[in-house]
Amino acid sequence: MSSKQTLHLYLDIDALCRIRAGQHNFFKRLIRAVRAKGWRVALHETSPVERLRAPSRNGRALFRMEEPTHDGALICRRTYIGPFWHIESSNTRWEWPVAKATFPAAEVDRTQADTFVTQWRKRLYPAVNGVPMGEGFVFVPLQGRLTEQRSFQSLSPVRMLEETLARMPARQIMATLHPNETYTPDELAALEALKARHTNLTLQRGGSEALLQACDLVVTQNSSLAFLGYFFAKPALLFAQIDFHHIAASVPHLGLDEAFYRVTRLRADYNGYLYWFLQDQAINAGRPECEEKIITSMRRGGWPI
């Protein structure tokens, strides 16, 4: 067997332990898929040193949520929930083919879409019965680097919040701090200054799931909470690029004025979109066609497999 027919799989130690114990379904099926094509698989614990070595190894490299190191490398990344994954040539979600595709709403099977979303909503939120009614407020899940405007963002997170407060003065704005972020004194001071000027602004840590279910709409840079809000038919106003922008009011795609105008008028096909985005565009590790879609994704990335 040629050494060029080798998949070098770079993962953290927890994922490697699960694979060796036969407990990670996606990677188990991925390994089975490439072995069925005559390739062998070499497992590596990812590290800066291993990433430096990767381009010199014969074969192809697959990283998890790390930028590819060379032309022969791809990445894999979970698609927000459950067993859904992507294999792509970039770790940047808004560069993926799905981000550039057009959502074909008229082509989605309505019965399959409704059943799919109902089942997944029950899995994700077993205590919730159906789609809760909104309670009138706007939910703003904040992420990190609050005072910076990065290249994929239309405004900094603080400016996003300020713009939302200015354009929705009669609405209660509920903003949450990300539980995994450490905020600087300057960032916290900027938020407190906004709070002092706007009595309709509430800041809190935690409680995002309850706020998502009870809000009228979600305003964020590109938090996955906006995507999860689609399961509750919550309109999303996005200030940054991301892959799930198609049915949102996206500032990068529409501009600031048009996005704010549209977000309160959105009547999106949430069920159809979730079905298309997850079941059609992603790899479902729980489906019979999983291994076929894995190989198709690798071929699309240029691998001769």
Side-chain angles (χ1 to χ4, degrees), residues 69-81:
T69 54
H70 57 291
D71 289 343
L74 297 174
I75 69 98
C76 60
R77 188 166 185 167
R78 190 164 171 257
T79 312
Y80 303 110
I81 65 166

Side-chain angles (χ1 to χ4, degrees), residues 84 104 274-283 293:
F84 301 98
L274 287 167
Y275 183 81
W276 171 76
F277 188 88
L278 293 170
Q279 194 75 300
D280 183 65
Q281 296 294 299
I283 301 167
K293 293 187 79 169

